[in-house]
């Protein structure tokens, strides 16, 4: 479904990013995988071997503007273009209002929204008609989530950024959409306290926590030409999460 | 006019659909209909491709005349 497309995925080494990378590889995309850990290199090698695709790892922090520029220049030199960008890198830190350290709040905004804006601004210069930008928002950003006010604010920013970009880029036929995952089984959510974890699971209509692959399927749809007339949408993938 | 100056002139011609005579030092962003915000991004992409660089966002914002384009490119190691 993605044969001939060049895709960049941030936060690709684990969780949702890793599942998206695997799904895109299975659908024959050429991949650029960005994350901080060495696991990214191993993932790129594994996917290249298993699916016979070209996969390149870029190790660095999405907040590092020079790293982002160098990575996208490498994409440009290798392919002359980018067809899909998945802005997935993100952090979550718990903290009830009044108990959120400001350095934590700043880091959340820096990673989840400022870095995303920077990547998108540069990446869009490599994108032509039928390209697709997929931002990972969150149900916290569309409805708010108790105990994660800073994270919710950052993801609300992702939602608004997605809607604005979709309007600006529609005339270039570049699509911009967001996925708003509910409660998904990743290292990030496993870091929550047991009480919060159970509370979240109890709020899911389908009665189970989501899998990273549940998100990857929606990302595949948004990356592929199946969604060629879909832009400016925030797609909830949450199993019927009610609160 | 050296090779890089010619290349830069060609960037403006290709990206904005101008003739070489129109590409003067004081030609400015938004002074002609071809160099609007959409044209600007096309121009930036053309300059990046021709000179094999990746411009900083701040440089893109400040690159508002042909003369400034040349000054910016000097920062990236392009000789004029």
């Amino acid at each position: 479904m993605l044969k001939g497309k060049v895709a960049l995925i941030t936060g690709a080494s684990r969780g949702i990013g890793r599942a998206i990378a695997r799904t895109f590889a299975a659908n024959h995309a050429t991949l650029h995988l960005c994350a901080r850990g060495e696991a990214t290199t191993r993932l790129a090698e594994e996917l290249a071997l298993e699916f016979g695709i070209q996969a390149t790892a870029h190790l660095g922090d999405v907040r590092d503007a020079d790293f982002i520029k160098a990575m996208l220049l490498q994409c440009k030199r290798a392919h002359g273009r980018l067809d899909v960008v998945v802005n997935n890198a993100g952090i979550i830190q718990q903290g009830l209002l009044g108990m959120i350290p400001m350095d934590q709040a700043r880091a959340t905004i820096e990673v989840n929204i400022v870095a995303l804006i920077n990547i998108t601004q540069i990446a869009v210069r490599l994108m032509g008609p039928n390209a697709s930008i997929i931002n990972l928002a969150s149900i916290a950003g569309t409805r708010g989530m108790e105990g994660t006010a800073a994270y919710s604010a950052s993801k609300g920013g992702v939602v608004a950024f997605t809607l604005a970009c979709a309007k600006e880029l529609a005339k270039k036929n570049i699509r911009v959409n967001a996925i708003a995952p509910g409660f998904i089984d990743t290292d990030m959510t496993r870091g929550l306290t047991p009480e919060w974890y159970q509370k979240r699971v109890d709020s899911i209509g389908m009665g189970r926590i989501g899998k990273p692959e549940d998100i990857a399927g929606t990302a595949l749809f948004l990356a592929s030409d199946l969604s060629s007339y879909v832009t400016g949408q925030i797609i909830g993938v949450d199993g019927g999460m009610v609160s | 006019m050296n090779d890089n100056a010619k290349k830069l002139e060609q960037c403006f011609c290709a990206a904005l659909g101008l003739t070489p005579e129109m590409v003067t030092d004081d030609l400015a962003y938004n002074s002609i209909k071809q160099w609007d915000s959409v044209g600007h991004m096309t121009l930036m992409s053309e300059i990046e491709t021709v000179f094999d660089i990746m411009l900083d966002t701040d440089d893109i914002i400040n690159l508002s005349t042909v003369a400034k384009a040349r000054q910016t490119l000097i920062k990236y190691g392009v000789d004029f």
Side-chain angles (χ1 to χ4, degrees), chain A residues 81-96:
Chain A
R81 69 179 206 286
L82 255 182
D83 301 302
V84 180
V85 172
V86 182
N87 281 311
N88 167 70
I91 57 172
I92 184 170
Q93 288 164 313
Q94 278 180 282
L96 287 166

Side-chain angles (χ1 to χ4, degrees), chain A residues 140-214:
Chain A
T142 54
R143 296 191 216 171
M145 190 176 284
E146 196 182 356
T148 62
Y151 176 76
S152 296
S154 72
K155 290 301 186 178
V158 172
V159 169
F161 181 71
T162 300
L163 297 175
C165 288
K167 287 182 175 168
E168 286 193 28
L169 295 173
K171 53 180 166 271
K172 292 183 79 176
N173 206 15
I174 296 172
R175 298 177 292 109
V176 190
N177 295 286
I179 300 172
F183 199 54
I184 308 298
D185 188 13
T186 65
D187 290 346
M188 198 159 82
T189 51
R190 279 185 222 124
L192 299 173
T193 63
E195 294 76 20
W196 277 106
Y197 186 93
Q198 194 54 49
K199 193 174 172 185
R200 295 270 75 86
V201 172
D202 290 345
S203 73
I204 300 168
M206 287 185 176
R208 70 164 175 89
I209 191 167
K211 295 176 292 188
E213 291 73 21
D214 293 323

Side-chain angles (χ1 to χ4, degrees), chain A residues 35-46:
Chain A
R36 283 177 296 178
E38 276 294 334
T40 320
T41 307
R42 290 195 296 279
L43 177 65
E45 289 167 358
E46 281 168 26

Side-chain angles (χ1 to χ4, degrees), chain B residues 1-70:
Chain B
M1 187 183 277
N2 71 12
D3 281 354
N4 285 330
K6 272 204 177 65
K7 278 191 196 173
L8 181 60
E9 182 184 87
Q10 283 162 5
C11 287
F12 276 87
C13 293
L16 305 179
L18 307 178
T19 59
E21 304 76 57
M22 297 169 79
V23 185
T24 56
D25 270 9
D26 55 356
L27 177 66
Y29 175 65
N30 264 341
S31 68
I32 54 172
K33 70 177 187 323
Q34 296 95 321
W35 196 357
D36 61 4
S37 61
V38 174
H40 191 63
M41 293 320 291
T42 307
L43 174 62
M44 295 306 106
S45 180
E46 184 74 15
I47 288 173
E48 287 180 329
T49 300
V50 167
F51 292 98
D52 192 29
I53 56 171
M54 189 67 79
L55 293 163
D56 286 329
T57 302
D58 287 346
D59 286 328
I60 288 177
I61 293 164
N62 293 326
L63 201 160
S64 54
T65 65
V66 174
K68 282 187 178 172
R70 207 165 42 241

